[in-house]
């Protein structure tokens, strides 16, 4: 999968880092989607591509001082099974 979209990093809560996709319109049965694919949603995907390319701004927030681990969308895809 190749994501060439806008990314939003959240250094305080990395699981709320997101890729900005196209919002889905509301139906009578459910509310409209905001179009954001959050890191916590990526980690819950049933199927994950083996290769993911993130060519979006802010897809990797970098190293956090508390843990010195990478946080953000790249780690979410790795946790979901991407290689």
């Amino acid at each position: 999968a190749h994501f060439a979209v806008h990314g939003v990093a959240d250094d305080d809560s990395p699981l709320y880092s997101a890729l900005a996709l196209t919002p889905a319109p509301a139906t009578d049965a459910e509310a409209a989607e905001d179009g954001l694919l959050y890191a916590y949603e990526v980690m819950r995907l049933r199927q994950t591509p083996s290769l993911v390319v993130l060519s979006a701004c802010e897809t990797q927030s970098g190293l956090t001082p508390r843990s010195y681990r990478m946080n953000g969308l790249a780690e979410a895809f790795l946790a979901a099974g991407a290689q």
Side-chain angles (χ1 to χ4, degrees):
H2 183 192
F3 293 96
V5 297
H6 182 69
V8 180
D10 188 330
D11 290 330
D12 294 327
S13 299
L15 291 178
Y16 286 96
S17 296
L19 294 173
L21 307 175
T22 303
T27 64
D28 292 337
E30 59 186 49
E33 282 286 328
D34 61 5
L36 296 174
L37 177 60
Y38 291 97
Y40 72 86
E41 293 174 318
V42 168
M43 295 172 76
R44 294 180 183 166
L45 292 175
R46 292 183 187 174
Q47 292 182 329
T48 304
S50 60
L51 175 65
V52 177
V53 177
L54 296 173
S55 56
C57 59
E58 296 189 31
T59 55
Q60 187 59 46
S61 59
L63 300 174
T64 62
R66 292 184 299 266
S67 66
Y68 292 102
R69 291 183 56 207
M70 290 190 305
N71 286 310
L73 292 158
E75 186 171 319
F77 277 103
L78 289 170
Q83 300 174 11

